[in-house]
């Protein structure tokens, strides 16, 4: 037995809550941006986030509605995706407060910043990874805007690298689930992809 859900019958709000409880876990783009006049550095988590392309390297996040992140990116053409790590859980959540545009989440929440190398928006100093991005394009879809940014620099903290590769146990990523639920990395399984020449596996 299955329970059927009609988006039109449920309405946008109810179906949004259902959809975000089903499309899980979702990585978080903790995006830092600068206001058009350069005076305010904003910071906000976006849980609709993924890689869009590998060559050139492009990441994407979705702004539901017109939030400060979207306005700033469209005005300046730059943003930074700061890695959402478990030790930063409460700061990430607090940066989602709907502060007015002129108030910096860095300052309001007490988040230390550091300068970026290739773009103007600052990085979160305590985040283990920062992806500095230049705007590739935006796409409006319904009540949301898809933001695609080309990664022009990646800064990875040395202590999360093992044998030349970022280690998931040291990165300790956070993920968004349904409602007010958040997830962390649990049991990790290693399983190599099977090449066609090796099929069927023995």
């Amino acid at each position: 037995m299955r329970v059927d859900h009609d988006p039109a019958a449920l309405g946008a709000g109810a179906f949004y809550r259902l959809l975000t409880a089903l499309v899980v876990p979702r990585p978080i783009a903790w995006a830092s941006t600068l206001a058009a006049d350069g005076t305010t550095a904003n910071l906000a988590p976006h849980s609709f986030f993924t890689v869009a392309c590998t060559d050139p390297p492009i990441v994407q996040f979705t702004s539901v509605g017109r939030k400060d992140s979207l306005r700033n990116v469209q005005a300046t053409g730059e943003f930074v995706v700061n890695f959402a790590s478990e030790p930063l859980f409460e700061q990430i959540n607090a940066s989602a407060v709907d502060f007015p545009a002129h108030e910096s989440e860095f300052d309001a929440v007490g988040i230390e910043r550091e300068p970026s190398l290739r773009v103007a928006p600052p990085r979160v100093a305590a985040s283990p990874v920062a992806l500095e991005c230049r705007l590739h394009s935006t796409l409006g879809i319904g009540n949301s805007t898809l933001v695609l940014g080309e990664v022009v620099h990646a800064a990875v903290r040395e202590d999360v690298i093992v044998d030349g590769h970022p280690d998931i146990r040291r990165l300790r990523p956070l993920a968004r689930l349904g409602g007010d639920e958040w997830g962390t990395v649990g049991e990790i399984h290693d399983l190599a992809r099977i090449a066609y020449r090796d099929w069927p596996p023995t």
Side-chain angles (χ1 to χ4, degrees):
M1 286 288 290
R2 296 179 187 262
V3 178
D4 296 316
H5 299 274
D6 182 348
L10 275 180
F15 200 75
Y16 167 82
R17 291 188 290 274
L18 175 67
L19 198 60
T20 53
L22 297 175
V23 182
V24 292
R26 297 187 309 280
I28 301 164
W30 201 15
S32 52
T33 59
L34 270 181
D37 62 5
T39 60
T40 305
N42 293 109
L43 182 66
H46 298 267
S47 71
F48 297 168
F49 167 58
T50 193
V51 175
C53 182
T54 60
D55 187 12
I58 292 176
V59 295
Q60 67 182 56
F61 73 87
T62 298
S63 174
V64 180
R66 286 197 60 79
K67 299 178 180 176
D68 295 338
S69 299
L70 175 60
R71 284 191 291 268
N72 292 349
V73 168
Q74 289 181 321
T76 67
E78 297 181 333
F79 63 97
V80 178
V81 174
N82 302 278
F83 192 90
S85 188
E86 186 180 347
L88 303 172
F89 173 45
E90 292 187 358
Q91 290 180 313
I92 294 167
N93 187 57
S95 70
V97 170
D98 56 343
F99 294 106
H102 65 272
E103 189 168 351
S104 170
E105 289 80 7
F106 281 97
D107 299 333
V109 179
I111 298 170
E112 184 181 355
R113 65 187 87 182
E114 68 181 21
S116 295
L117 186 68
R118 299 281 303 278
V119 298
R123 307 190 297 221
V124 173
S127 176
V129 179
L131 302 178
E132 300 179 12
C133 302
R134 292 207 177 103
L135 181 63
H136 174 277
S137 57
T138 61
L139 175 64
I141 307 172
N143 70 343
S144 302
T145 303
L146 183 66
V147 177
L148 297 106
E150 181 173 356
V151 180
V152 294
H153 182 72
V156 184
R157 208 168 60 206
E158 285 183 343
D159 64 345
V160 300
I161 297 176
V162 176
D163 297 329
H165 190 75
D167 184 87
I168 192 69
R169 294 168 181 84
R170 297 190 179 191
L171 286 169
R172 298 172 65 188
L174 277 173
R176 286 290 280 124
L177 308 174
D180 292 330
E181 300 167 335
W182 300 65
T184 56
V185 171
E187 190 174 354
I188 298 169
H189 303 275
D190 288 309
L191 184 64
R193 183 177 296 181
I194 303 168
Y196 179 71
R197 65 178 178 274
D198 299 323
W199 186 263
T202 55

